[in-house]
Amino acid sequence: MTQSHPRISKAVIPAAGLGTRFLPATKATPKEMLPVVDKPAIQYVVEEAVSAGLDDVLMITGRNKRPLEDHFDRNYELESALQKKGDAARLAKVQESSDLATMHYVRQGDPRGLGHAVLCAAPHVGHEPFAVLLGDDLIDPRDPLLARMVEVQEQRGGSVIALMEVAPEQIHLYGCAAVEATEDGDVVKVTGLVEKPDVADAPSNFAVIGRYVLDPHIFDILRTTEPGRGGEIQLTDALQQLAQDEKVGGPVHGVVFKGRRYDTGDRGDYLRAIVRLACEREDLGPEFRTWLRSYVAEEM
């Protein structure tokens, strides 16, 4: 019989990174605020959490990240100006971000890696399972990955990570999982994890992408996890300990994702994400696709 586990309500979004790959644009603007069509990337992530039923959102921030808080706060002067103009459509868009979720913020004073950023969430999360969403991975809302991960965690307990099959020559860019099949076609049991392995040492081509549903025992492990690759405290290393010892925090499972994912952490993929999303918009797509076809034909 499937066991029922506590309902998850909290999401943690690490957003303290410096965004060095997007310099100079991120010199004074957080990378999470870079627009993807007409919304900042971070809003897509918060919307995903809310769609999965997680309306209590903690954002881990750092220096120069105040615009993140401002974006999810009310802007009374702007709202008043739009009301006076009778611009109801834009007013609704402005108010949408401030009404999405209950937002909380904590600063990661010392940028010591993803594992350390997650550990900063411990006082807020307490002893409940919780989700972690990385802002570089945008998941298409038509492919509800996080909701499926929450479902698996509630059924099986422990922790759940998102996995995607990648070309073997690309696995060195990701955390990599050793897995065993389960009775569910899209769910695997994770038996081991390694951060950015050499191609020859990779246990599979299952890459860890930026969605996690974690048992709170992860905090105890992170407190004693030594810096790993890059001199940072790696979340992957802590999950490896959970996968090796189910008595502490339960098993680790993976949901194999085959849907639409937009990687905004790389400049080229960021541009491709904008093009794909713009093409699929009802208000922008038809005209933009026509222009794009014409442009490609002329360049070819």
Side-chain angles (χ1 to χ4, degrees), residues 97-119:
S97 60
S98 57
D99 295 336
L100 268 175
T102 302
M103 301 294 298
H104 309 270
Y105 304 90
V106 64
R107 282 197 173 193
Q108 182 187 14
D110 188 9
R112 297 168 57 196
L114 176 58
H116 181 257
V118 172
L119 185 56

Side-chain angles (χ1 to χ4, degrees), residues 161-168 170-179 188-209 212 229 234-237 239-240 243 252:
I161 63 177
L163 301 174
M164 175 176 278
E165 290 189 81
V166 301
Q170 296 294 312
I171 197 65
H172 70 283
L173 301 173
Y174 299 87
C176 178
V179 303
V188 294
K189 184 175 181 180
V190 177
T191 59
L193 287 156
V194 58
E195 181 68 16
K196 297 181 179 179
D198 293 334
V199 174
D201 299 327
S204 74
N205 67 329
F206 282 102
V208 181
I209 59 175
Y212 309 81
R229 192 177 183 94
Q234 297 290 347
L235 181 59
T236 303
D237 293 342
L239 285 166
Q240 161 71 355
V252 178

Side-chain angles (χ1 to χ4, degrees), residues 28-42:
T29 301
K31 67 173 184 176
E32 296 84 5
M33 289 300 296
L34 294 178
V36 180
V37 188
D38 55 2
K39 287 192 295 189
I42 194 67

Side-chain angles (χ1 to χ4, degrees), residues 39-74:
K39 287 192 295 189
I42 194 67
Q43 184 170 333
Y44 290 88
V45 180
V46 174
E47 288 173 349
E48 180 187 352
V50 173
S51 294
L54 314 182
D55 57 3
D56 184 323
V57 177
L58 174 68
M59 202 168 291
I60 312 298
T61 67
R63 294 186 184 89
N64 301 322
K65 299 286 184 169
R66 181 61 185 270
L68 293 170
E69 299 183 34
D70 291 341
H71 180 71
F72 292 101
D73 199 358
R74 297 290 298 273

Side-chain angles (χ1 to χ4, degrees), residues 122-135:
H124 180 78
V125 169
H127 300 289
E128 305 173 25
F130 64 104
V132 174
L133 298 87
L134 305 189

Side-chain angles (χ1 to χ4, degrees), residues 276-290:
R276 287 196 294 264
L277 288 169
C279 284
E280 295 175 359
R281 286 268 296 262
E282 291 183 2
D283 57 338
L284 297 173
E287 183 178 349
F288 184 67
R289 288 194 300 270
T290 299

